[in-house]
Amino acid sequence: MNQDWRSSIVRGLLMLIAACLLLGLLTGEYAWALVLGLACYLGWTLVQLSKLQRWLRERGPEEPPPDAHGLWGEVFDGVYQMQRQEQRARTRLQGIIDRAQESTAALRDAILLLDSDGNLEWWNPAAERLLGLKDPQDTGHPVSNVVRHPAFKDYFEAGRYQEPLELPSPVTQQLQLQYHFTRFGNSEHLVLVRDVTRLHQLEQLRKDFVANVSHELRTPLTVIAGYLETLLENQDQFSPRWGRALQQMDQQAGRMQHLLSDLLLLAKLEATSYPAHNQPVAIDQLLAAIRADAVALSGEQAHRITLDAEPVPLKGSESELRSAFSNLVFNAIKYTPAGGEVRIRWWADDQGGHLSVQDTGIGIESKHLPRLTERFYRVDSSRASSTGGTGLGLAIVKHVLLRHRGRLDITSTPGQGSVFTCHFQSSQLAP
Ligand code: ADP
């Protein structure tokens, strides 16, 4: 092909020069004949250019280019091919975009795209149903204007998206939504919002069931424990082999009462999620009282228990904080051999308030750490029955911290000891 158009150009030029020479020979004016020949060539080139320009402007890739020969024919064909390729690529891309839009429109889950400041850039139709978004009014506005919940704002600003966030829909309280945040590109956010109302209802059913059973069992157990106590007080009236049985029954009844009160406390903590009563609590005094209880619990085991607390109050519920902190301190005593050391510290810095309970106890293997705050999770169940634990202590700690916008950090080395640290946000510290 290339050879063809090159030879046709050469042929055309040779013919033009030959025609000029012939005209020059006939008229004797070689220079003028050449000028005339070049003018004709220029005129023809201009005609082709104007044809190209008219075709590009008026017809485009829909119609084939005008007929032309030689180099101009090649130029026309080249431009035509490029235009066709570009059109095919555009059609293919449009098809992909249409399919993506169709599939996101068919999704029952909402998808939002937010810029790095949390302003809404794009969303699918499900977002309009679940969150009540309106196009174009909400475009460019902060997402926290739509989901007006303090927990949502805190979650977004904290930027820790490992766990999804669950909240009622801003459209109706009947719908329960779960938000999954993912960062991408230049700190933009992709938010997947799922309707988890059914799961939430089942979870609620489970919570109510546990709370009701615990509540119903409490009265009969109190009666049994009461009678056992009376029987133990009059032990001398029974034969000695009954004495041991009565003591064991009393011990087990005590364990069951402890378990029920922990279950009821957890149910109460779960019933309202955010936040607890916000009274300033004198943590240093609270810890001093817990330390005194810990000394009593340690008894003959004579642990060295030190307390180092700054006089910084924390906003929250005193009874909940007492449960959480005493669980940590009593665990440290329970899982530290006699004579060991337990160090309790409370301090504040730019990051917020921190409480740490450090022991020189048996420690925990790292594989157990992520599951430690689950209900009834125990590192070693045989060990638990000897310490009298319920397996609910750390679950209570986690819930109390959640309600106080705090989090729990656990580090531990088997055989050397553990450190349980509660971190609270600066906003929770009372001035
Ligand atoms: P429990 O009532 O059994 O103590 P928790 O929820 O308080 O239940 O603790 C869960 C498990 O974590 C315990 O069974 C224990 O194995 C482990 N654990 C908790 N605190 C400590 C600690 N300070 N040192 C070692 N192990 C601990």
Side-chain angles (χ1 to χ4, degrees):
M1 261 322 250
N2 273 351
Q3 291 305 326
D4 276 2
W5 66 261
R6 274 207 197 106
S7 56
S8 97
I9 291 172
V10 172
R11 220 176 23 247
L13 276 175
L14 285 177
M15 276 169 68
L16 183 70
I17 292 168
C20 291
L21 285 177
L22 188 67
L23 193 66
L25 192 71
L26 289 177
T27 56
E29 295 282 353
Y30 284 99
W32 281 113
L34 209 59
V35 168
L36 188 69
L38 283 176
C40 287
Y41 187 74
L42 195 64
W44 179 73
T45 306
L46 283 176
V47 169
Q48 301 304 323
L49 257 179
S50 81
K51 270 197 209 167
L52 174 66
Q53 194 262 351
R54 204 174 326 127
W55 173 65
L56 282 177
R57 208 181 50 203
E58 290 168 12
R59 308 223 165 76
E62 305 304 328
E63 278 187 38
D67 284 335
H69 300 288
L71 183 58
W72 281 108
E74 284 300 316
V75 171
F76 284 6
D77 282 349
V79 172
Y80 184 56
Q81 291 300 337
M82 271 166 62
Q83 280 193 334
R84 297 282 300 190
Q85 272 170 10
E86 196 189 318
Q87 196 187 27
R88 274 198 294 269
R90 215 181 308 139
T91 315
R92 207 172 48 239
L93 272 179
Q94 190 59 48
I96 294 172
I97 292 172
D98 287 350
R99 295 239 351 127
Q101 278 188 339
E102 269 172 38
S103 50
T104 52
L107 265 182
R108 280 190 293 145
D109 298 333
I111 301 175
L112 318 176
L113 287 185
L114 311 180
D115 66 15
S116 50
D117 297 327
N119 298 322
L120 288 154
E121 281 186 341
W122 177 89
W123 58 84
N124 69 344
E128 297 178 6
R129 185 171 51 82
L130 295 178
L131 299 168
L133 286 174
K134 287 190 187 69
D135 191 22
Q137 293 96 309
D138 289 320
T139 310
H141 288 281
V143 66
S144 49
N145 277 8
V146 179
V147 189
R148 288 173 182 274
H149 199 294
F152 185 87
K153 198 162 172 278
D154 286 351
Y155 180 83
F156 182 71
E157 282 168 5
R160 280 189 291 275
Y161 303 142
Q162 291 88 345
E163 294 284 319
L165 174 73
E166 219 176 290
L167 288 175
S169 156
V171 180
T172 158
Q173 294 284 311
Q174 319 296 330
L175 276 183
Q176 192 70 17
L177 303 180
Q178 199 175 56
Y179 298 82
H180 297 258
F181 277 73
T182 311
R183 263 195 217 92
F184 72 98
N186 195 12
S187 254
E188 285 117 321
H189 298 81
L190 174 76
V191 191
L192 181 71
V193 189
R194 298 178 60 203
D195 178 359
V196 290
T197 312
R198 177 91 189 109
L199 263 178
H200 183 73
Q201 282 167 346
L202 285 174
E203 180 74 355
Q204 197 57 43
L205 215 68
R206 179 192 63 76
K207 284 180 194 164
D208 290 350
F209 175 76
V210 174
N212 288 338
V213 169
S214 312
H215 193 74
E216 291 299 324
L217 284 178
R218 206 150 76 146
T219 317
L221 198 60
T222 312
V223 174
I224 293 171
Y227 278 118
L228 279 173
E229 207 175 308
T230 319
L231 287 173
L232 272 171
E233 278 166 13
N234 302 297
Q235 235 187 93
D236 43 348
Q237 295 177 19
F238 304 99
S239 84
R241 66 196 169 96
W242 280 107
R244 193 171 145 62
L246 283 175
Q247 259 165 9
Q248 278 195 354
M249 282 157 77
D250 185 56
Q251 202 185 358
Q252 294 303 327
R255 263 191 85 182
M256 277 166 76
Q257 274 182 318
H258 191 179
L259 183 68
L260 284 188
S261 70
D262 275 1
L263 277 174
L264 280 170
L265 176 60
L266 259 180
K268 204 177 96 193
L269 291 176
E270 280 180 338
T272 57
S273 57
Y274 191 91
H277 329 274
N278 269 333
Q279 301 297 324
V281 180
I283 299 295
D284 49 345
Q285 290 169 25
L286 181 71
L287 290 176
I290 293 175
R291 182 184 172 273
D293 292 345
V295 170
L297 179 70
S298 170
E300 289 175 2
Q301 298 185 66
H303 293 95
R304 260 174 303 131
I305 309 171
T306 58
L307 170 62
D308 176 9
E310 292 179 7
V312 183
L314 179 75
K315 285 189 274 179
S317 148
E318 178 164 359
S319 63
E320 289 180 16
L321 291 172
R322 181 190 298 275
S323 305
F325 298 164
S326 53
N327 263 312
L328 292 179
V329 176
F330 296 168
N331 272 352
I333 302 283
K334 280 195 293 184
Y335 300 107
T336 302
E341 193 175 336
V342 174
R343 190 164 173 225
I344 311 165
R345 285 201 311 139
W346 165 247
W347 75 101
D349 58 20
D350 310 345
Q351 321 276 311
H354 315 271
L355 174 118
S356 83
V357 180
Q358 184 173 7
D359 63 50
T360 55
I362 53 175
I364 308 157
E365 275 184 67
S366 57
K367 67 174 181 193
H368 296 293
L369 296 183
R371 300 195 55 196
L372 225 50
T373 54
E374 284 175 18
R375 276 156 216 229
F376 298 113
Y377 186 84
R378 289 187 181 112
V379 172
D380 177 354
S381 49
S382 59
R383 189 203 287 172
S385 53
S386 66
T387 57
T390 59
L392 294 174
L394 292 180
I396 292 176
V397 174
K398 183 178 134 183
H399 272 276
V400 170
L401 291 190
L402 268 181
R403 288 155 65 84
H404 290 77
R405 302 181 186 174
R407 67 188 163 84
L408 180 66
D409 255 2
I410 311 173
T411 53
S412 188
T413 316
Q416 290 188 15
S418 320
V419 190
F420 288 73
T421 316
C422 311
H423 301 283
F424 298 93
Q425 294 178 11
S426 307
S427 56
Q428 280 299 112
L429 295 176

